[in-house]
Amino acid sequence: MTSALLRAHPAAHPVRDRTEAQALPKGETRAATGAVLALEAVSLGFGGIKALTAVSLDVKAGEIRAVIGPNGAGKSSLINVISGLYQADAGEIRFGAQRFRAVPPQRLAVLGVARTFQNLALFPALTVAENILSGLVFQRRSGVLGHLLSLPAARREQARQNGQVRKVAERLHLTAALDRKVGTLPYGLQKRVELARALVAEPRLLLLDEPMAGMTATEKAEMAGFVRQARDASGLSVILIEHDIGVVMGLSDHIAVLDHGVKIADGTPDQVRRDPEVIRAYLGAEAA
Amino acid sequence: MDWFTFLFAVEVAIGGLLSGVMYALVAIGFVLIYKTSGVLNFAQGAMVLFAALTFVSLTEMGLPFAGALVLTLLAMTLLGITVERAVLRPLANRSPMTLFMATLGLSYILEGLAQLLWGTQVHRLDLGISNDPFEVAGIFISTFDLVAAAIAGAMVAVLTAFFRFTRTGLAFRAVADDQFAALAVGLRLDRIWIAVWTAAGVVALVAGLLWGARLGVQFSLSLVVLKALPVLVLGGFDSVLGAIVAGLLIGATEKLAEVYLGPFVGGGIEGWFAYAVALVVLLVRPSGLFGQKLVERF
Amino acid sequence: MSLVTEFSATPLPPRENRLLAALPLVVILAVAYLAVPLLANEYLIEAILLPFLALSLAGLGLNLLTGYAGQVSLGSAAFMAVGAFAAFNFDLRLGLPLPASMLLAAVAAAAIGLVFGLPSLRLRGFYLAVSTLAAQFFVQWALNKFGWFSNGSASGIIAAPAIGIAGLPLSGPVGRYLFALVTVTAITFLLHRIVNGPQGVNLIAVRDNETAARVIGVPVLRTKLFAFALSSAIIGIAGVIWAFAYLRTVEPAGFNLDRSFQILFIVIIGGLATIRGAFLGAGLIVVFPLVLSRLTGLFFDGVADPGTIELLERIALGTVIILFLIAEPSGLSAILSRLKRRLAAPRAG
Ligand SMILES: Nc1ncnc2c1ncn2[C@@H]1O[C@H](COP(=O)(O)OP(=O)(O)OP(=O)(O)O)[C@@H](O)[C@H]1O
Ligand SMILES: [Mg+2]
């Protein structure tokens, strides 16, 4: 395998063992071993606003973990803390054995973590292929000179990375659009390109901030299929923020619920569906 | 350090602070426009030149002080309207950098126009303020600088009162805080922009008269923009208070550096020293001393 | 804050026959290398082609930084000055051959560009743009203040030596033109390879969305510094051509803020983030004042003195900039693309 990041958790059988998760009392954190990501009592504030209050969370290999909650609950903040764009005021973030107070965002890719953004964060002037390729830049060994002189190593690397781009584009049905400028694509396709860019380096952990927002039902189903397929293929773990409860219930192994920055529930879809506090906080807010 | 060298240093610093007031005055013109429309108006210096040249030419044609003042104010209002119509409106919703480039073009137009209309020679401008220094406790202070600082101070006070207490001023602030919300409650953006540019024109006129009385009214007046820019970044683009504090800070350090550092490097460092000061501070505070921190959301 | 995203709406060219697409380039090169040296008169070379080549190169350099990497610089002329004075000193003090002094001058300009690019690691937008003025004023001051740079001549004026390569004298107009042309062609080719290669992806990624670039592992800081260094090196070489091939006598005051703005205008008028934009913009900027002074000569029938013409030129230039920003933010390059499509359309059926 080309990616050095795949070493960690070659889970041939994605974790489906719900009984184990059920056995855990709600909110308890597990030992770092076995967890791809573990948050330990992470808090984050903006001026007076508490965006996150002592949130603990761990994500096992091969798990799709949804994070839901009403608008402003702190879901995006959670992902931003994990990816180092925001720095937690307190708490700890662990990727496997590496622990951070503040994750260095420029090392995220090397740590095997990839993400998408709630509001598209593509490079509009680049083509779809180049956008996807940008997700492989951190693995590049050859420099400008190598490229200018067309050194064999540089050429091989370029060919290999282009191959990776084509492969992921094929999986996400983007082949036909590879040479188009991303800025000219419809919104739904752009969201898909962003997913492709996140997947191309075969990360261990994928953070998706509302990847299906603003999509039609068909597009959503398609997108959900891509996410599941990626997980099944490589055993990566996913944190998925999504407002569409139907999608969430169908796709995730576990669901964490945030409300006003506090994690009020964490469990299987069935558990969460029945949790009275979730019904009050989440559905109450939704109904209001 | 003996007593006299100390007095001398104080004198230099005071001289610097007073010229700093003048830097601040030009910088405030920038802040006005930046706060309400997010545009860094490079043409502010050209506006200073345009205003001063118009005023001085009118007096030379025999108009009394008040008459020339009124006509110049009228000209600056006209300029505000033209800029809104011809530049800001067609460029609405474009990136701040694009608008900045447009003001670069505007500064070329204004500089050319001002000199084409009123000629390129140096005009003497006498505001009737004494140029003799006076002495306080062994320190010489320039009367002119002091009066100029007082006028600048009064100008700031008037502006502050205007923003606090008048409807138009409040509208400015609303637009500065949130353009969309301001639009939503029915504020007319075009009128506000005209008003802001006119206000910046008035500030330019005051600055032009004070600078012009000191240096003569000529092309080099428009170069005060280069003095004001480091003040602006040091204070933060959107803070009047920042412009004042940074103006004083740069004025004083620049004069002190010129006197105490200059001889070691051959002098003439005032061209870049202010930038160096601003850069050092910016490395610690990337939005200046008082500028609003950029809040990025992802 | 991105200046370019809204500028670069140029649609993709159809993937036509590559040979056919390269035809205009072949024609241009043939004219430049064969027709001009044989046919052009001295005026055309001295007054138009030499400044055109030097400014095109400077435009290319700035376009790398501002167009591709999205970092606005207001101090380009400083790097032209560094290039010119560095090459002068390498020639004078080390007696190096011209290509070597030029290369070292590029390295010197890159090093200084790197230093003045450091604030870009921390500052953004207007804060960065203003801080690039520091380069402008500091370099001009240093060249004026320290006589060593100009070998002690009054007000820093330097006279470039007669140029020649490997014993071949190139000091005539055609020789200097060919020297400039070869240099510009080579650098254009290199730059084209760079911006269309992997490094180009990094540059545009940083420009279009710096945060996204950082979290996916694009080396943002390195990319910015690379852009500053390479851009300064190219602008430095433009300075060498300006001083050695075009004017041959230069002073620091010639590399003032107006020159920096001129280069910026070239890039805006020509089209940001395009290679040919630099050439189109430089062409317009060089020819524009000549045409203007002819026209005013016609209209005012000799009444207009040079000072007035200069003012008119200033006004016209400012107007052109604003008009381009309003009507064609993608510059002459986009106009050319449209023209080409219109011409190609009937043939395509
Ligand atoms: N950069 C920031 N500066 C200031 N406040 C912020 C910032 N980012 C988020 N917040 C605040 O933190 C709280 C949580 O916001 P967050 O974006 O995490 O919510 P969310 O759950 O993602 O909501 P949504 O479903 O609308 O995306 C909100 O009150 C928000 O206003
Ligand atoms: Mg969110």
Side-chain angles (χ1 to χ4, degrees):
Chain A
M1 259 300 158
T2 51
S3 167
L5 310 163
L6 278 174
R7 274 184 258 118
H9 298 279
H13 306 285
V15 178
R16 287 304 179 105
D17 186 2
R18 289 192 181 158
T19 51
E20 187 202 336
Q22 274 167 349
L24 282 168
K26 196 159 46 176
E28 183 179 312
T29 51
R30 294 139 43 87
T33 48
V36 171
L37 167 76
L39 300 188
E40 193 93 47
V42 167
S43 295
L44 171 73
F46 295 106
I49 304 167
K50 293 285 291 173
L52 296 172
T53 309
V55 174
S56 297
L57 184 80
D58 54 42
V59 180
K60 285 178 292 180
E63 172 187 12
I64 296 181
R65 166 73 64 106
V67 176
I68 62 172
N71 289 111
K75 306 179 296 294
S76 296
S77 298
L78 187 76
I79 280 197
N80 288 335
V81 166
I82 299 172
S83 50
L85 295 181
Y86 295 165
Q87 293 186 1
D89 303 322
E92 189 180 87
I93 297 136
R94 288 199 296 270
F95 298 114
Q98 307 212 48
R99 29 181 75 212
F100 298 95
R101 173 52 157 299
V103 179
Q106 68 278 9
R107 283 187 47 206
L108 206 61
V110 181
L111 290 166
V113 183
R115 68 164 291 175
T116 65
F117 292 78
Q118 180 165 358
N119 302 306
L120 284 169
L122 289 164
F123 311 120
L126 293 176
T127 63
V128 170
E130 288 166 331
N131 266 279
I132 301 176
L133 183 69
S134 68
L136 288 172
V137 164
F138 76 99
Q139 295 180 351
R140 214 181 271 157
R141 303 236 155 271
S142 56
V144 189
L145 269 182
H147 166 70
L148 278 181
L149 301 174
S150 268
L151 295 182
R155 282 217 307 269
R156 270 199 306 276
E157 181 176 75
Q158 242 174 298
R160 190 173 63 230
Q161 295 202 332
N162 286 337
Q164 277 170 280
V165 169
R166 270 195 306 277
K167 222 171 64 194
V168 94
E170 212 163 287
R171 271 188 6 226
L172 301 195
H173 306 324
L174 283 168
T175 309
L178 273 178
D179 285 330
R180 295 213 20 214
K181 289 238 162 111
V182 147
T184 66
L185 295 181
Y187 176 78
L189 268 189
Q190 294 200 26
K191 280 278 194 194
R192 212 190 286 174
V193 175
E194 210 185 357
L195 178 64
R197 184 181 71 185
L199 282 175
V200 69
E202 313 196 17
R204 266 200 289 153
L205 174 65
L206 180 63
L207 313 171
L208 301 175
D209 195 347
E210 306 200 11
M212 300 150 202
M215 289 188 165
T216 64
T218 339
E219 285 175 323
K220 278 182 186 173
E222 214 177 1
M223 201 71 170
F226 293 140
V227 173
R228 187 182 292 117
Q229 178 201 45
R231 190 273 311 270
D232 291 347
S234 68
L236 61 68
S237 313
V238 180
I239 291 188
L240 168 73
I241 297 176
E242 181 50 53
H243 280 294
D244 187 323
I245 292 298
V247 171
V248 168
M249 291 292 168
L251 192 59
S252 30
D253 304 309
H254 291 97
I255 300 174
V257 187
L258 285 181
D259 185 34
H260 291 104
V262 181
K263 190 172 90 172
I264 57 168
D266 196 353
T268 63
D270 276 340
Q271 285 176 326
V272 166
R273 209 196 311 262
R274 286 195 303 267
D275 191 310
E277 207 176 334
V278 174
I279 295 169
R280 201 181 50 227
Y282 191 76
L283 300 178
E286 194 88 317
Chain B
M1 194 192 310
D2 67 50
W3 182 242
F4 282 104
T5 39
F6 174 71
L7 277 188
F8 179 65
V10 171
E11 196 175 301
V12 170
I14 290 180
L17 285 175
L18 290 174
S19 49
V21 174
M22 308 280 282
Y23 298 164
L25 191 56
V26 182
I28 287 171
F30 281 93
V31 174
L32 279 182
I33 291 180
Y34 188 87
K35 254 178 110 72
T36 41
S37 49
V39 180
L40 175 58
N41 174 29
F42 194 86
Q44 188 69 29
M47 281 163 67
V48 170
L49 172 71
F50 187 86
L53 215 48
T54 307
F55 177 85
V56 88
S57 306
L58 289 174
T59 52
E60 277 168 10
M61 284 158 66
L63 256 73
F65 187 91
L69 202 63
V70 169
L71 275 185
T72 311
L73 285 178
L74 220 62
M76 296 320 280
T77 312
L78 212 66
L79 180 67
I81 296 173
T82 317
V83 168
E84 197 277 329
R85 281 287 147 82
V87 184
L88 298 180
R89 197 177 292 184
L91 288 174
N93 301 322
R94 300 281 291 277
S95 82
M97 237 1 132
T98 304
L99 280 152
F100 167 71
M101 305 281 180
T103 66
L104 219 57
L106 187 63
S107 76
Y108 271 53
I109 297 178
L110 285 181
E111 283 165 10
L113 212 58
Q115 297 177 83
L116 202 62
L117 283 176
W118 308 118
T120 48
Q121 72 276 30
V122 182
H123 301 258
R124 257 180 47 76
L125 174 63
D126 188 1
L127 297 176
I129 307 171
S130 154
N131 229 344
D132 303 325
F134 65 91
E135 193 192 322
V136 184
I139 297 173
F140 284 94
I141 297 174
S142 149
T143 313
F144 180 86
D145 284 355
L146 204 63
V147 173
I151 294 176
M155 176 103 215
V156 172
V158 169
L159 280 175
T160 313
F162 174 75
F163 274 113
R164 284 272 150 79
F165 303 119
T166 68
R167 273 181 64 91
T168 322
L170 289 175
F172 279 17
R173 294 226 315 228
V175 174
D177 286 342
D178 188 340
Q179 278 202 13
F180 291 105
L183 268 180
V185 298
L187 290 174
R188 292 276 309 266
L189 269 188
D190 51 348
R191 292 215 192 126
I192 288 172
W193 278 348
I194 290 175
V196 171
W197 277 76
T198 307
V202 174
V203 175
L205 174 61
V206 175
L209 293 184
L210 294 177
W211 277 98
R214 214 196 227 174
L215 307 173
V217 176
Q218 55 179 318
F219 174 73
S220 66
L221 260 193
S222 83
L223 299 180
V224 300
V225 66
L226 303 175
K227 283 284 173 202
L229 282 175
V231 169
L232 205 60
V233 291
L234 179 58
F237 284 114
D238 47 7
S239 165
V240 172
L241 180 65
I244 296 168
V245 173
L248 295 176
L249 203 69
I250 281 186
T253 47
E254 188 181 82
K255 281 286 182 314
L256 287 170
E258 185 66 46
V259 170
Y260 292 104
L261 216 63
F264 296 105
V265 292
I269 61 176
E270 75 274 358
W272 56 267
F273 186 78
Y275 287 89
V277 173
L279 263 177
V280 169
V281 176
L282 282 181
L283 290 185
V284 186
R285 294 184 65 95
S287 309
L289 291 173
F290 295 91
Q292 241 174 42
K293 261 235 177 107
L294 212 82
V295 192
E296 276 182 291
R297 298 193 178 211
F298 309 102
Chain C
M1 204 38 101
S2 174
L3 171 66
V4 175
T5 30
E6 81 183 31
F7 280 81
S8 50
T10 19
L12 284 181
R15 292 218 153 195
E16 284 182 352
N17 188 331
R18 287 199 159 215
L19 281 177
L20 199 67
L23 193 63
L25 187 63
V26 172
V27 173
I28 288 171
L29 285 179
V31 170
Y33 276 91
L34 299 173
V36 169
L38 290 175
L39 304 174
N41 62 17
E42 202 165 312
Y43 174 80
L44 184 68
I45 290 181
E46 297 274 13
I48 295 180
L49 292 176
L50 281 172
F52 163 75
L53 285 172
L55 288 175
S56 299
L57 195 56
L60 276 179
L62 182 62
N63 216 346
L64 174 73
L65 184 64
T66 300
Y68 286 93
Q71 315 290 309
V72 175
S73 164
L74 304 175
S76 310
F79 301 104
M80 280 181 85
V82 170
F85 280 79
F88 171 77
N89 279 291
F90 284 123
D91 174 89
L92 177 80
R93 293 168 204 284
L94 303 180
L96 294 177
L98 181 58
S101 345
M102 190 162 73
L103 209 66
L104 285 178
V107 173
I112 293 182
L114 210 56
V115 171
F116 283 100
L118 286 176
S120 73
L121 304 185
R122 194 117 163 87
L123 305 183
R124 295 206 183 174
F126 293 132
Y127 287 97
L128 177 63
V130 171
S131 79
T132 58
L133 283 172
Q136 177 69 52
F137 298 124
F138 183 82
V139 167
Q140 238 184 302
W141 170 82
L143 292 177
N144 264 323
K145 266 290 165 293
F146 302 107
W148 186 85
F149 289 119
S150 51
N151 202 21
S153 90
S155 66
I157 298 174
I158 55 169
I163 62 174
I165 291 177
L168 187 72
L170 293 172
S171 51
V174 173
R176 282 181 283 122
Y177 165 77
L178 282 175
F179 163 68
L181 183 65
V182 170
T183 311
V184 171
T185 316
I187 292 174
T188 307
F189 175 73
L190 276 183
L191 196 64
H192 174 80
R193 293 259 303 163
I194 288 175
V195 298
N196 289 302
Q199 191 68 17
V201 172
N202 294 12
L203 290 167
I204 295 177
V206 168
R207 174 195 81 192
D208 276 3
N209 196 325
E210 192 176 320
T211 305
R214 178 169 295 126
V215 297
I216 63 172
V218 173
V220 173
L221 305 186
R222 197 140 42 87
T223 303
K224 281 186 185 176
L225 290 182
F226 168 81
F228 267 97
L230 185 60
S231 148
S232 307
I234 294 175
I235 297 175
I237 292 181
V240 177
I241 292 180
W242 187 264
F244 281 57
Y246 170 45
L247 288 180
R248 284 179 292 167
T249 312
V250 293
E251 54 180 332
F255 301 104
N256 58 10
L257 192 59
D258 266 347
R259 179 82 54 226
S260 290
F261 287 159
Q262 188 181 41
I263 301 168
L264 185 63
F265 291 163
I266 285 175
V267 175
I268 295 176
I269 291 175
L272 282 154
T274 58
I275 296 272
R276 63 182 179 191
F279 291 93
L280 295 170
L284 192 111
I285 286 280
V286 169
V287 174
F288 183 69
L290 300 177
V291 172
L292 206 68
S293 71
R294 283 279 160 88
L295 279 182
T296 40
L298 275 180
F299 280 121
F300 297 99
D301 201 24
V303 188
D305 61 294
T308 309
I309 291 180
E310 209 181 295
L311 292 176
L312 284 174
E313 197 187 300
R314 231 178 150 71
I315 297 173
L317 185 59
T319 313
V320 166
I321 291 296
I322 294 179
L323 284 180
F324 263 98
L325 288 172
I326 292 173
E328 189 44 271
S330 303
L332 288 170
S333 172
I335 294 179
L336 190 69
S337 299
R338 262 208 306 280
L339 272 178
K340 266 193 352 207
R341 265 203 310 283
R342 196 157 305 162
L343 286 179
R347 247 186 302 154

